[in-house]
Amino acid sequence: IAFAELPDVIEIAEEMIKTVVKTVLDKCPDEMKFFDTHFENGLIEKLQNLISNEFAVCDYTKAIELLKSADKEFVYPVEWGCDLQTEHERYISEEVFNKAVFVTNYPKEIKSFYMKQNPDGKTVAATDLLVPGVGEIIGCSEREADLDKLLDAMQTRGMSIEDYEHYIALRRFGSVPHSGFGLGLERIIMYVTG
């Protein structure tokens, strides 16, 4: 998405999810009643609640604090720098916020090389959208436009610069802020159908 920074891509992703869910509810009422009756009792109400409320936003560092202070034992231990597992994502979306939540500013070591580095030097302008019952449904990030930072991230990861020449060339003479996201198709289907 050209000229989009992280807050812009968060807004676009939220609107897309709400549009998809609203469209399914509007165009497939009989099917949704079937899923509500036979697969997830309360599904329609859950989806209407999703489209009626703003999604929460929580910084990764705060999410780690919430998980560490949880009165719950997780299979996977939680420390700053760990990649969140489904059990962590579901706890945050289901028990802490009880709605969809964007977790932002992940540690750069656990995210892709192309994600824009934040001024703190430790995190990237990235977010995952977590929804109750599923966990992560969308991954978003602002892309790194600074060629030197991009090359440094690639070298740190031991990547072949030559293999990515086509990608690097896009930033050689500068770039504009831009972002992107990916929706897990099977996850949105699982979420909407219960």
Side-chain angles (χ1 to χ4, degrees):
I1 305 165
F3 306 104
E5 295 178 328
L6 191 62
D8 304 311
V9 78
I10 286 174
E11 182 181 337
I12 292 166
E14 179 172 342
E15 286 305 312
M16 187 196 75
I17 288 292
K18 287 181 174 183
T19 299
V20 167
V21 171
K22 184 175 183 336
T23 302
V24 170
L25 288 171
D26 291 347
K27 294 192 181 263
C28 306
D30 293 337
E31 291 85 350
M32 294 310 298
K33 286 178 191 165
F34 176 82
F35 290 130
D36 194 301
T37 302
H38 297 287
F39 290 96
E40 184 180 333
N41 208 340
L43 175 65
I44 293 171
E45 182 181 345
K46 175 185 85 170
L47 297 175
Q48 288 171 334
N49 187 46
L50 175 92
I51 60 177
S52 300
N53 291 293
E54 281 194 34
F55 295 0
V57 177
C58 179
D59 187 82
Y60 170 88
T61 299
K62 178 65 177 172
I64 293 298
E65 291 170 7
L66 291 167
L67 290 164
K68 288 180 90 165
S69 65
D71 189 24
K72 181 175 182 147
E73 192 168 320
F74 297 106
V75 174
Y76 296 95
V78 178
E79 289 298 328
W80 196 95
C82 75
D83 200 2
L84 298 180
Q85 302 299 314
T86 301
E87 66 176 338
H88 307 138
E89 296 168 344
R90 289 190 60 181
Y91 177 82
I92 291 167
S93 64
E94 294 170 17
E95 298 186 41
V96 175
F97 290 96
N98 194 30
K99 64 179 180 177
V101 57
F102 286 100
V103 176
T104 61
N105 302 316
Y106 281 82
K108 67 181 183 180
E109 286 80 16
I110 63 172
K111 290 296 184 181
S112 295
F113 75 96
Y114 55 77
M115 295 183 178
K116 182 180 175 76
Q117 296 176 39
N118 287 327
D120 65 12
K122 299 186 311 184
T123 61
V124 290
T127 185
D128 289 339
L129 174 58
L130 315 179
V131 294
V134 174
E136 182 186 344
I137 200 164
I138 290 182
C140 311
S141 75
E142 187 173 343
R143 307 306 201 233
E144 184 59 71
D146 183 306
L147 180 60
D148 291 333
K149 288 182 180 178
L150 183 65
L151 290 171
D152 183 56
M154 294 172 75
Q155 289 167 343
T156 299
R157 289 169 170 79
M159 297 170 66
S160 167
I161 303 299
E162 186 178 292
D163 289 346
Y164 289 89
E165 182 54 40
H166 62 283
Y167 189 80
I168 295 165
L170 296 171
R171 278 121 182 109
R172 186 162 285 122
F173 302 104
S175 185
V176 297
H178 56 288
S179 302
F181 65 88
L183 168 66
L185 181 61
E186 75 290 349
R187 292 179 185 210
I188 188 71
I189 291 170
M190 182 171 60
Y191 185 66
V192 171
T193 63

